[in-house]
Amino acid sequence: MLKVVKVSTYHGRSKVLDSISLNVEKGEMVTIIGANGAGKSTLLGTIAGIYRPKSGQIYLGTKQTSCLPAEKVVPEGISLVPEHRAVFDSLTVTDNLKLGAYHRYRTDKKNIESDIENVLSLFPVLKDRTQQLAGTLSGGEQQMLAIGRGLMANPKVLLLDEPSLGLAPLVVKEIFEILINLKKRGTTILMVEQNARAALKIADRAYILERGTISLAGRARDMLQDTRVQSAYLGARLHA
């Protein structure tokens, strides 16, 4: 489905990603974990077309998207839910969702209203807030709205950047339950997440990103038992 091949990305003269390769199969949930500054958000931004890679290729199916800008990547089937949610505060919940489907208005307008209803069925708390301004929602509700807006693009791959960031533990649990539900519905997800334990519990596979390179890859459940991952990311103390 999604394939990243030896991608390197720079910010100015600084190399942030160094020959990154990964893949996400249809229907999988794959998580990327790593410390602050490892390049996680830059990786998602590169896949989403926000940053142009210096070298390497990105494929969605057989289509190469490496050189496409973000506004061209979204119609191809890649939708990014950014860090810090970035909802449009002065617009209603409904209008935020409609903006997620902006590129579809010319070709698929007749299905947008039914898709809004489908999204709201995933997030019942938003059903009673459709005309409420997004800026007045709680942090958890804004995160749900941001995910819903991403789904309105009808993506083949949904990219999530730190969906649990800044949320209370009970809200994080609710968000992750929603992601499990999305996966059960067949949504393909690539997620960056600093809450490594929670992410590894629900993902199929995982990549560890360190200083712009992939240092470890494998099944998420195996990562939970890996002493290196436990020591570095799960807060586990190793016994001598």
Side-chain angles (χ1 to χ4, degrees):
M1 173 66 76
L2 176 68
K3 190 173 183 179
V4 178
V5 183
K6 295 183 177 180
V7 162
S8 295
T9 300
Y10 286 70
H11 290 330
R13 294 184 178 180
S14 299
K15 182 185 283 188
V16 181
L17 302 178
D18 187 4
S19 196
I20 295 287
S21 294
L22 60 83
N23 68 287
V24 183
E25 299 300 330
K26 186 176 181 180
E28 269 195 317
M29 183 188 296
V30 175
T31 187
I32 301 167
I33 61 177
N36 285 332
K40 304 186 300 298
S41 293
T42 296
L43 175 56
L44 290 192
T46 302
I47 294 170
I50 297 171
Y51 309 118
R52 187 165 182 171
K54 185 79 169 180
S55 59
Q57 299 83 41
I58 301 169
Y59 296 93
L60 185 62
T62 59
K63 174 81 172 184
Q64 185 173 170
T65 63
S66 318
C67 297
L68 296 179
E71 65 270 20
K72 299 293 185 182
V73 170
V74 174
E76 291 296 334
I78 296 175
S79 181
L80 172 64
V81 180
E83 187 179 8
H84 300 296
R85 299 175 279 278
V87 296
F88 295 94
D89 290 352
S90 61
L91 298 180
T92 65
V93 166
T94 296
D95 286 341
N96 268 271
L97 293 176
K98 286 181 178 179
L99 279 176
Y102 178 79
H103 69 284
R104 299 171 49 201
Y105 265 80
R106 288 186 179 180
T107 59
D108 195 28
K109 186 175 181 179
K110 66 181 186 297
N111 291 317
I112 289 175
E113 291 300 325
S114 62
D115 285 348
I116 289 176
E117 291 303 313
N118 288 335
V119 167
L120 292 174
S121 72
L122 282 170
F123 309 102
V125 70
L126 297 180
K127 272 190 172 182
D128 299 326
R129 293 166 169 76
T130 54
Q131 297 308 306
Q132 187 170 331
L133 297 182
T136 66
L137 299 175
S138 69
E141 291 163 352
Q142 288 187 10
Q143 185 62 69
M144 294 175 195
L145 178 57
I147 294 172
R149 185 183 61 195
L151 291 171
M152 285 298 297
N154 270 354
K156 296 174 183 175
V157 181
L158 183 67
L159 308 179
L160 300 172
D161 194 354
E162 304 283 10
S164 75
L165 185 67
L167 302 179
L170 285 176
V171 180
V172 171
K173 182 179 179 182
E174 187 175 2
I175 294 294
F176 275 78
E177 286 173 351
I178 289 168
L179 298 184
I180 292 170
N181 191 21
L182 285 175
K183 183 182 179 302
K184 288 179 179 177
R185 293 184 177 210
T187 305
T188 304
I189 298 171
L190 177 61
M191 173 175 62
V192 157
E193 181 55 61
Q194 279 197 307
N195 190 338
R197 188 180 300 277
L200 291 173
K201 283 182 177 179
I202 68 171
D204 296 301
R205 292 187 300 109
Y207 292 88
I208 307 295
L209 189 61
E210 294 182 342
R211 298 178 183 178
T213 63
I214 299 293
S215 62
L216 192 64
R219 294 189 302 176
R221 62 185 178 185
D222 293 339
M223 294 270 194
L224 282 168
Q225 306 304 318
D226 191 300
T227 55
R228 295 166 294 179
V229 178
Q230 290 175 349
S231 176
Y233 301 106
L234 303 183
R237 293 183 178 179
L238 302 183
H239 298 287

